[in-house]
Amino acid sequence: MRLLIVEDDLVIANGLVRALTQAEYAVDHVTDGKQALRAINDDVYDLVILDLGLPTMDGMSLLSHLRQQANPIAVLILTAREDVATRVQALDVGADDFLTKPFHLEELEARVRALIRRSKLGNNLPLQCGNLKLDVANKLATINDQPVTLSARELHLLETLMMRMGKIIAKEQIMESLCNWDETLGDNAIEVYIHRLRKKIEPSGANIRTVRGLGYMLEAEQHAQS
């Protein structure tokens, strides 16, 4: 899952990036609303953690713009403002949740998990392809209900493929889903991860097909092509 933190307090932002990265999210950080808008237009995020008091474009204006554009991205407001009027305004404009500073990291991480679960898996059912299932919330892959041992990046890769099952995903999109802005992965690294994951899920009836020149596609084995 890919998160965007929009926070101009670098102490808070760095702490959030560190904690959420350790929780195995891909995390990007910007310090003002206009940077955030460019980032959201350029990349695909599962959740935005948004401060309200920002330079150039404040958080409420950014949120309003996103909702006016019918952007459904989940937004968690994180602010020092404690008044009820601000909370009501943020929720009315389109925020999905609201947390005031100071806060406990454990509560913020729980709210992040809940918002992602709500936005991606409204019915809380696992993703499934053949006998392969992925419980995104609990980061657990199973084949015939038996756990499959996957690394953090392999889990992210599997989630990316299963979220777009039956559709071709470009190698560049996979790179973006596995990396933060300050990280890079080459073509060879992606191919290695694909190869490892393909071998691990082979008994499930799910197949990662290479579509030459375009990318990769996850599909049930009966529909796979050699």
Side-chain angles (χ1 to χ4, degrees), residues 12 14 29 98 152 183 223:
I12 293 176
N14 290 338
H29 168 234
F98 195 103
E183 295 181 311
H223 301 300

Side-chain angles (χ1 to χ4, degrees), residues 33 37 40 48 50-52 54 57-73 75 77 89-96:
L37 190 57
I40 293 167
V48 176
L50 178 62
D51 183 31
L52 292 181
L54 297 169
M57 176 189 281
D58 64 56
M60 202 74 78
S61 298
L62 173 61
L63 176 61
S64 177
H65 179 84
L66 291 175
R67 297 315 185 220
Q68 287 172 9
Q69 297 298 314
N71 190 319
I73 188 169
V75 176
I77 297 294
Q89 182 185 5
L91 293 170
D92 283 345
V93 169
D96 296 277

